[in-house]
Amino acid sequence: MKTNNCIEVKKIQKTWPDLTILGDFSIPQGKILALTGPSGSGKSTILRLIAGLEKPDSGEIIINGTDCTRKHPSKRGIGMVFQQTALFPHLNVLRNVVYGLENRSYSKNEKLQKAEKILSLLGLSGFENRNVQTLSGGESQRVSLARTLIMEPSVILFDEPFSSLDQSLKIQLRNEIKKLQKELNFTGIFVTHDMEEACFISDYMGIMKKGRIIAMGETQNLFLKPGNVETLDFLNNGFIISGKEISGKKVKKSDNNCNTQQKYIVISTGFLPNMLTEDSSVRKKIQNSHEMIYTDESTFSFYATCVKKDFYGFSNKVTFEKNGEYFDLSLPVSAKINEKSCYRLFFDINSVKEI
């Protein structure tokens, strides 16, 4: 049955002595999946399996409707962009870019025209005769990308291509890739540790841990509805307070006699209609209280103590404690927060999500 998926990874498995990699997902045509997770979780192995640089022990890899599980890498219509550009040092920029076309039936003029178009898209017009050893890191990565794009692959795999570049270059290059992806409509998988980069560049996100994919979905939905505690912890996009439950949009007070410990999530991005410092008498009162206070139709609140505040440029990372549980919030530098002080924290009711 034909689908609109460009890449289908069907129950692939690859076992190493210390780790088993499992993959089962699909990517629609013209979309980018960001694959992220801790080092050693298997992200690059997934890329290598799709590219044909590793063979799975079991499962199937379907690309554009064709089973490519046992096909040679050169027959899969895939391009790869690595962290190390691996440009040929004895060739200039132009010859590096057209290298992959040498065994194809293009005239010299056709190859030149294709190269000039790709170099122009990447802001490298006029670089054709440059020695690649004189290029900056960002320029080298652009040439590497041009060398991939000129082959017109339907799928491009990016294995942490910007990890060795400074922040300004990362931002510049990810903007260019996003723009090129829309113009050329290729399908991509982008491996990265940078969460900001993953969110910006992707339509879908997958999170890997110890060889398995613990979460997969549209990027924005994954942040709004993490689905499990492991995903929430990795995204660092909320926190858990135990012993409560949700009924519709009403936050119920906890029952201290209840034997069950239901959990729910407060997504921190829904934070901050207001915040008030409380005096010592309030602190004494809340030490014995586990209640979350229903404020009105749109907000709820509870009391917590600031235990640590760290400066992060445009924001402060503030650690709060409530009834022995700790959580972090990113707050504006302008917010007056003092360590060891107690605060009443107000949240948007829609920021409460159950797992």
Side-chain angles (χ1 to χ4, degrees):
M1 183 175 68
K2 189 174 181 180
T3 71
N4 66 342
N5 292 322
C6 179
I7 302 173
E8 295 176 84
V9 175
K10 297 184 175 182
K11 298 181 179 179
I12 60 168
Q13 178 174 322
K14 179 69 176 180
T15 299
W16 304 109
D18 57 346
L19 186 68
T20 295
I21 310 296
L22 303 171
D24 191 15
F25 61 90
S26 61
I27 309 172
Q29 168 64 40
K31 302 297 182 181
I32 291 183
L33 166 71
L35 202 55
T36 187
S39 296
S41 58
K43 304 181 298 298
S44 293
T45 298
I46 291 286
L47 285 199
R48 293 177 65 82
L49 288 166
I50 294 171
L53 302 176
E54 299 285 352
K55 296 188 182 300
D57 300 326
S58 60
E60 296 178 300
I61 296 167
I62 312 296
I63 300 172
N64 292 319
T66 301
D67 187 347
C68 295
T69 312
R70 304 299 168 190
K71 277 194 172 186
H72 190 273
S74 64
K75 304 297 183 181
R76 299 190 181 204
I78 284 178
M80 289 198 72
V81 181
F82 298 94
Q83 179 180 344
Q84 302 299 326
T85 58
L87 299 177
F88 299 114
H90 62 291
L91 302 179
N92 63 20
V93 168
L94 177 62
R95 293 182 65 194
N96 264 280
V97 171
V98 301
Y99 183 83
L101 300 178
E102 295 299 333
N103 294 321
R104 297 195 177 187
S105 56
Y106 291 105
S107 68
K108 183 176 180 180
N109 190 52
E110 286 173 329
K111 287 187 286 187
L112 180 60
Q113 287 180 348
K114 288 174 70 69
E116 287 177 344
K117 179 181 177 181
I118 291 296
L119 289 170
S120 176
L121 282 172
L122 287 164
L124 290 173
S125 294
F127 279 66
E128 289 83 356
N129 296 316
R130 284 275 298 272
N131 184 327
V132 295
Q133 297 184 67
T134 68
L135 301 177
S136 67
E139 290 164 349
S140 294
Q141 197 57 270
R142 281 195 186 92
V143 173
S144 177
L145 183 56
R147 185 174 60 182
T148 298
L149 292 174
I150 202 171
M151 304 300 293
E152 299 179 352
S154 61
V155 174
I156 300 181
L157 309 179
F158 301 86
D159 195 1
E160 299 190 70
F162 307 151
S163 60
S164 62
L165 304 179
D166 62 56
Q167 188 63 21
S168 61
L169 274 176
K170 284 184 181 182
I171 293 171
Q172 187 177 355
L173 285 174
R174 78 187 186 198
N175 287 342
E176 289 178 3
I177 285 181
K178 189 73 171 179
K179 180 181 176 183
L180 284 168
Q181 192 273 330
K182 289 182 178 179
E183 289 183 16
L184 304 176
N185 198 40
F186 62 79
T187 304
I189 301 181
F190 197 100
V191 168
T192 180
H193 286 92
D194 188 323
M195 190 55 62
E196 180 182 314
E197 187 172 86
C199 290
F200 177 85
I201 210 162
S202 68
D203 303 290
Y204 295 85
M205 184 182 293
I207 299 172
M208 293 195 70
K209 183 178 181 181
K210 296 180 180 178
R212 64 186 180 93
I213 297 173
I214 62 172
M216 175 78 73
E218 292 186 29
T219 301
Q220 185 171 338
N221 288 343
L222 206 61
F223 270 80
L224 295 177
K225 299 177 181 179
N228 57 59
V229 175
E230 289 177 306
T231 303
L232 177 72
D233 287 344
F234 182 80
L235 295 176
N236 193 27
N237 193 42
F239 55 89
I240 295 173
I241 303 291
S242 60
K244 313 291 189 297
E245 68 178 85
I246 305 168
S247 176
K249 287 192 176 181
K250 303 286 186 178
V251 180
K252 291 184 178 180
K253 296 178 181 180
S254 63
D255 182 355
N256 291 334
N257 297 318
C258 182
N259 292 324
T260 61
Q261 286 286 301
Q262 296 190 32
K263 292 187 175 183
Y264 66 87
I265 300 172
V266 178
I267 301 297
S268 60
T269 49
F271 183 68
L272 223 64
N274 201 355
M275 180 166 44
L276 300 173
T277 305
E278 302 293 341
D279 60 25
S280 58
S281 62
V282 174
R283 180 189 298 211
K284 182 176 180 181
K285 177 183 176 182
I286 70 164
Q287 283 177 342
N288 297 315
S289 171
H290 293 259
E291 295 182 356
M292 293 189 68
I293 303 167
Y294 179 66
T295 309
D296 55 35
E297 287 297 321
S298 61
T299 61
F300 67 92
S301 66
F302 60 78
Y303 295 100
T305 301
C306 171
V307 295
K308 190 171 74 165
K309 180 175 72 172
D310 296 308
F311 177 66
Y312 275 74
F314 294 106
S315 64
N316 284 324
K317 177 183 173 184
V318 185
T319 302
F320 288 94
E321 182 270 333
K322 173 178 167 55
N323 302 321
E325 296 179 336
Y326 294 84
F327 58 91
D328 296 328
L329 294 175
S330 179
L331 303 179
V333 174
S334 58
K336 296 180 180 179
I337 305 292
N338 299 312
E339 293 183 1
K340 299 183 180 179
S341 293
C342 184
Y343 295 87
R344 183 177 179 182
L345 307 179
F346 289 80
F347 294 80
D348 185 332
I349 194 73
N350 293 309
S351 70
V352 184
K353 308 291 181 185
E354 279 184 296
I355 282 188

